[in-house]
Amino acid sequence: MMANDKKKRSLIEAFAYFCLLSSFLFVLNKTYNGQASVVEKNDAKKTIRHRTLVNRESDELEFVNEEQYIEYLSKKLTPQHLNTYPTTSKSGEENRTALQHHQFLHLHHMKTGGTSMNGLLQCAISRSRKTEKKEQIAYMNVQECSEERYRNCRDGADPKCRERINESAILSYCAPLMDLEKFGWMKNNSIDEGKQEEEALEDFSLPNSNPHAVTVLRHPVNRIWSMFRFRTKSCYSCTPLIDVYKLIDANQTENMTHSTTCITQLLNHQTRNLVSSQHEFDTLPDHELIEDALYNIKNYFTMIGLTEEMNDTAKMVGKVFPWMAETIPGSNLTCAMPHRNASPQNNRCGPNNTHWELPPHPDNETLAAIIAHNQLDMILYEQAVQQFHYQKVALDLDQAITE
């Protein structure tokens, strides 16, 4: 079969699968007695069909077909090296180099393989520090699951935390994109008023005005079931997930948990993290939320990965960011994608704090509840799969397409 025929068949199959998914979600919403948010069907179709190659007033790019879009991605995914500038160490040692601030951001959604990605990132940082350049690399990790610490940092009660984030070159960020502006990391927030943008782009002692960002997404059902297995007791007090959703629908979660993060993890969490609007998430209509999240996937992020495709995700990261490749010239240290943060062997939810053995997949009733409460994430994930496919083609990682 010719390559063009394979491409056409792939797109037809993807479109057919989306239509089937839309029909399933429509029927499920009518039958499931819950308070999950519902995407209006016309708006959802408009988002999927017309926002794939997104266009806003600030974007002049128009793509007639997928070949043009893949060509655009090929240019976007060219190798991105770290920018450095000469400096001296705190002890006065000369001939050192420091990394430009605001260069690389990893947006981490819990239970998507983000901890494994952070392991790869930290290995790459350690390796860079040991090279002949002896690079000074400012790295920061911030996560909303440490709720009080995160709020203090975000809202300014801990100014040193905000200062460390703003002065970091590499940031691992497990929190909503909408909060990122408060840490000074959103595009063009860091250029000094006395500098023209063109000059700032060439002066690596100034913060980068356009950070490179990566995120990894996972099928919502798999992610949420993994989250429930991971935090069965600490978040959900050993309550069956189907009953957790019933408590959420009845607004009666206070006896189970006082953590807002534990609850939002179960409700379109990946969409929530990817929305950059400064309006409250729950106040925006569904079609605006999914539109904003999809826009950011295709415009703010340099590339995205998939948990279900972690091997190819690691290869992709290594090609786009050579300093994160498994091996690099001048170093004997190998940085492979590790597997971290597995579910606990004893969740202490059984009799006498023994283990409550949970199946690897939810039962049908729980499955239906997860989907009903995560319709935006279902749409988001299907689009992420398509975007990941285009990235593989652009990077010549998809042999089935490129042969």
Side-chain angles (χ1 to χ4, degrees), residues 205-365:
S205 66
L206 294 173
N208 185 10
S209 63
N210 190 15
H212 293 293
V214 170
T215 194
V216 178
L217 300 173
R218 187 177 185 181
H219 191 287
V221 172
N222 297 335
R223 193 200 71 81
I224 287 173
W225 188 244
S226 178
M227 178 67 193
F228 177 70
R229 284 161 54 94
F230 185 65
R231 293 287 184 89
T232 313
K233 185 168 187 176
S234 61
C235 262
Y236 309 112
S237 302
C238 304
T239 307
L241 184 55
I242 185 65
D243 294 328
V244 172
Y245 277 119
K246 291 176 181 178
L247 291 173
I248 291 173
D249 291 343
N251 196 25
Q252 296 177 354
T253 60
E254 63 276 0
N255 292 329
M256 178 182 66
T257 181
H258 293 289
S259 169
T260 301
T261 302
C262 287
I263 300 302
T264 58
Q265 286 286 336
L266 305 178
L267 305 171
N268 293 308
H269 177 71
Q270 294 175 105
T271 303
R272 179 184 295 269
N273 272 0
L274 289 165
V275 168
S276 55
S277 171
Q278 295 304 300
H279 298 285
E280 288 293 328
F281 183 87
D282 294 328
T283 66
L284 295 173
D286 287 346
H287 73 275
E288 288 189 19
L289 293 172
I290 194 66
E291 194 172 84
D292 194 27
L294 290 173
Y295 175 84
N296 287 326
I297 278 181
K298 295 172 176 63
N299 291 271
Y300 181 75
F301 290 92
T302 305
M303 58 155 284
I304 65 166
L306 297 177
T307 308
E308 291 78 7
E309 300 278 356
M310 282 303 275
N311 288 338
D312 281 342
T313 295
K315 293 177 184 177
M316 197 175 291
V317 168
K319 290 196 72 170
V320 180
F321 304 99
W323 56 276
M324 289 182 67
E326 188 168 340
T327 60
I328 64 171
S331 175
N332 294 324
L333 182 60
T334 298
C335 292
M337 181 80 76
H339 177 68
R340 295 183 176 178
N341 228 20
S343 297
Q345 295 183 350
N346 184 1
N347 55 30
R348 302 187 182 278
C349 284
N352 300 317
N353 281 329
T354 58
H355 185 61
W356 175 24
E357 188 65 38
L358 292 166
H361 307 287
D363 59 39
N364 290 338
E365 184 182 14

Side-chain angles (χ1 to χ4, degrees), residues 106 108-119 172 216 307 310:
H106 167 222
H108 176 188
H109 316 274
M110 285 189 68
K111 308 312 296 179
T112 62
T115 304
S116 298
M117 178 65 76
N118 282 345
S172 179
V216 178
T307 308
M310 282 303 275

Side-chain angles (χ1 to χ4, degrees), residues 115-162:
T115 304
S116 298
M117 178 65 76
N118 282 345
L120 173 61
L121 180 60
Q122 290 162 6
C123 179
I125 291 172
S126 176
R127 183 172 58 187
S128 294
R129 286 172 174 162
K130 295 176 181 178
T131 61
E132 293 180 359
K133 295 181 180 179
K134 298 181 179 180
E135 292 172 340
Q136 297 180 27
I137 303 175
Y139 168 73
M140 186 65 178
N141 188 333
V142 61
Q143 47 191 315
E144 66 171 348
C145 55
S146 303
E147 294 186 49
E148 183 176 1
R149 180 185 175 190
Y150 177 75
R151 284 196 300 269
N152 289 340
C153 187
R154 179 194 64 190
D155 300 337
D158 183 359
K160 290 186 178 180
C161 173
R162 293 184 68 169

Side-chain angles (χ1 to χ4, degrees), residues 36-53:
S37 61
V38 180
V39 180
E40 296 181 9
K41 299 304 171 228
N42 289 337
D43 287 331
K45 290 178 181 177
K46 182 185 298 183
T47 297
I48 294 302
R49 294 179 62 185
H50 300 297
R51 301 293 296 185
T52 299
L53 309 178

Side-chain angles (χ1 to χ4, degrees), residues 40-78:
E40 296 181 9
K41 299 304 171 228
N42 289 337
D43 287 331
K45 290 178 181 177
K46 182 185 298 183
T47 297
I48 294 302
R49 294 179 62 185
H50 300 297
R51 301 293 296 185
T52 299
L53 309 178
V54 68
N55 177 42
R56 286 187 172 183
E57 291 181 1
S58 59
D59 299 296
E60 298 179 355
L61 294 175
E62 293 280 356
F63 303 98
V64 176
N65 52 46
E66 69 165 354
E67 284 78 12
Q68 284 191 5
Y69 186 57
I70 291 170
E71 182 180 356
Y72 159 74
L73 282 178
S74 298
K75 297 176 181 178
K76 181 181 179 182
L77 297 173
T78 54

